[in-house]
Amino acid sequence: MTKLPALRIGKHIAPYPIIQGGMGIRISGAKLASAVANAGGIGIISAIGLGLNSPYFRKRNFFEANRLALIDEIQKARKLSPQGVLGINAMVAARDYETLVRTAAESGINLIISGAGIPLKLPEYAANHPDVALVPIISSVRAAKIICRKWEKRYDRLPDAFVVENPNQAGGHLGAKSHELGSSALNAEQVIPELVRYFSSEVGQEIPVIAAGGIWDRGDIDRVLSLGAKGVQIGTRFITTDECDADRRYKEFHLHASPEDIIIAPSPVGMPGRVIRNSFAEKAIAGDPNLEKRCIANCLEVCKSRDRKETYCIIQALDKAARGDVENGLIFAGSRAGRAEKIVPVAELMQELIC
Ligand SMILES: Cc1cc2nc3c(=O)[nH]c(=O)nc-3n(C[C@H](O)[C@H](O)[C@H](O)COP(=O)(O)O)c2cc1C
C-alpha cells in the first residue's frame, strides 16, 4: 500500500492527512487532540462549552469561564504535544464565537475550524495572527462560493482549506435539512470534484479540501483522496480511544451501538443532529415537553429551547452525556458508529488508518 501524503494547511504540515474532528462538549479536549497530533495527524479541541465543567464556572460567568477553560485546554494540549499541529473547532452559532476565536489565536493555536453557520467574519477575528490557518466547514459548493467571495472582497484572503462535511454520514449537527438527508447530491462523490473544479476554474488557487463524514478506514481515505480531497476529518472513530476526553461509559455506549441505533434527532440550534438512540433522543424526537429547557448559559445566538420553549437545553444534554449519563444525555455519532470492537490507544488507531 502506498504511503499517505502529508497534509499542508496554511503554514502547518502534518505527516498524515488526518484531522480529528472537534467534538463537543469535552469529547475532544487536550488529551485526544494532543494524542492525534503526536501520532502525525491534526488534533482539534472543541471550544464549545468548556467552561461549564471547569473550576471557573459560577452561574453567571459562563462566557468568561469558557474563555479561561479554553486557554487552559490549549496550554495543556501544547505541553503534551510541543511539535504537533493543533487546532480548535468553534461554532459560529455560539454567542461567544468571536471571543473563543480571538482567544485561541492569541493562545498560539495553529488552526481554527469553524462551522454550524457560515464563518463570514472569521478572518477579522484572527487578523492579528496571520499564521493561524482558517478552515470553514461546509456541506455545499454554494456555501464555499459565498465564503470565497466575501473573504476576498472584505479581507483579501481565502480560506486555508475547507472541510466538506457529508450530512448523510457525519456525526453531530448536520448542514442540511432533515428532508434533504439521503440525497446523493450531498455525497462526497458529487461535492468534492465540483468544489475542486470551482477552485481551479474560478478561484484560480488550489484550496485543500478535507472530506468528513463516515470515514472509517484506509479504504475510505483512499476513496476520497481519489476524488480530489487532500485529507479527511474523522470524528466518531476517535471516540473509542483511550485518550478521548469523554467518560468511559460514553465510549462504551458508542462501542455497543448497532446500525439501527443511529438516528436523526432535532436540536435547538435548528439543524438536525445524528445521534445514538437512547432514552433522551427518543424523548427529543417525540417532542417530550418535560425535557430540560431551563436556560443556564444563554450560549446560542438562536436557540429554540430558550426562545420558543421547544426541544431542550443542548449544553446540559451534551455535558451530561460526556460525563457518563448515557441515557439522559445527547450522544452525537456518525452513521458508522458501533463498528469499533474495542477501545484502543490513538497511536494504534492511527497506525490502522495509515496502513
Ligand atoms: C460526539 C460528536 C460531537 C461533535 N461536535 C462537533 C462540534 O462541536 N463542532 C463541529 O463543528 N462538529 C462537531 N462534530 C462533527 C465532527 O467534528 C466531524 O466532522 C464528524 O464527526 C465527522 O463524521 P464522522 O463522525 O462520521 O467521522 C461532532 C461529532 C461527534 C460525533
Side-chain angles (χ1 to χ4, degrees), residues 51-52 54-69 96 296-297:
L52 192 61
S54 79
Y56 304 111
F57 186 47
R58 281 175 300 277
K59 276 200 172 154
R60 288 188 199 285
N61 70 338
F62 177 70
F63 297 128
E64 181 58 3
N66 275 352
R67 191 181 71 79
L68 296 171
D96 57 347
I296 60 163

Side-chain angles (χ1 to χ4, degrees), residues 37-184:
N38 284 336
I42 298 182
I44 306 292
I45 296 166
S46 166
I48 189 84
L50 284 172
L52 192 61
N53 200 4
S54 79
Y56 304 111
F57 186 47
R58 281 175 300 277
K59 276 200 172 154
R60 288 188 199 285
N61 70 338
F62 177 70
F63 297 128
E64 181 58 3
N66 275 352
R67 191 181 71 79
L68 296 171
L70 177 60
I71 296 171
D72 281 2
E73 211 62 24
I74 292 172
Q75 286 176 347
K76 201 164 134 196
R78 185 50 78 205
K79 206 164 168 199
L80 291 167
S81 180
Q83 308 299 334
V85 183
L86 290 169
I88 64 143
N89 175 296
M91 288 172 54
V92 179
R95 284 192 59 228
D96 57 347
Y97 172 66
E98 177 178 349
T99 304
L100 295 176
V101 166
R102 288 187 188 276
T103 302
E106 281 159 16
S107 304
I109 206 72
N110 303 129
L111 227 90
I112 296 173
I113 300 186
S114 188
I118 301 194
L120 291 180
K121 290 188 165 176
L122 183 55
E124 185 179 320
Y125 304 154
N128 295 334
H129 303 275
D131 287 356
V132 179
L134 305 180
V135 183
I137 304 174
I138 51 156
S139 292
S140 69
V141 177
R142 191 176 151 267
K145 287 184 179 176
I146 294 172
I147 293 170
C148 287
R149 286 190 196 127
K150 291 258 166 82
W151 283 26
E152 262 200 307
K153 194 163 162 222
R154 279 195 206 155
Y155 308 110
D156 195 24
R157 80 172 278 185
L158 287 164
D160 295 288
F162 275 100
V163 170
V164 180
E165 200 159 62
N166 176 356
N168 289 334
Q169 293 194 287
H173 285 118
L174 306 172
K177 305 236 160 56
S178 298
H179 69 268
E180 294 166 334
L181 295 175
S183 157
S184 61

Side-chain angles (χ1 to χ4, degrees), residues 12-53:
H12 311 285
I13 301 174
Y16 301 112
I18 297 172
I19 302 178
Q20 158 260 310
M23 294 179 283
I25 292 175
R26 284 194 185 272
I27 309 295
S28 69
K31 225 162 81 184
L32 178 56
S34 59
V36 173
N38 284 336
I42 298 182
I44 306 292
I45 296 166
S46 166
I48 189 84
L50 284 172
L52 192 61
N53 200 4

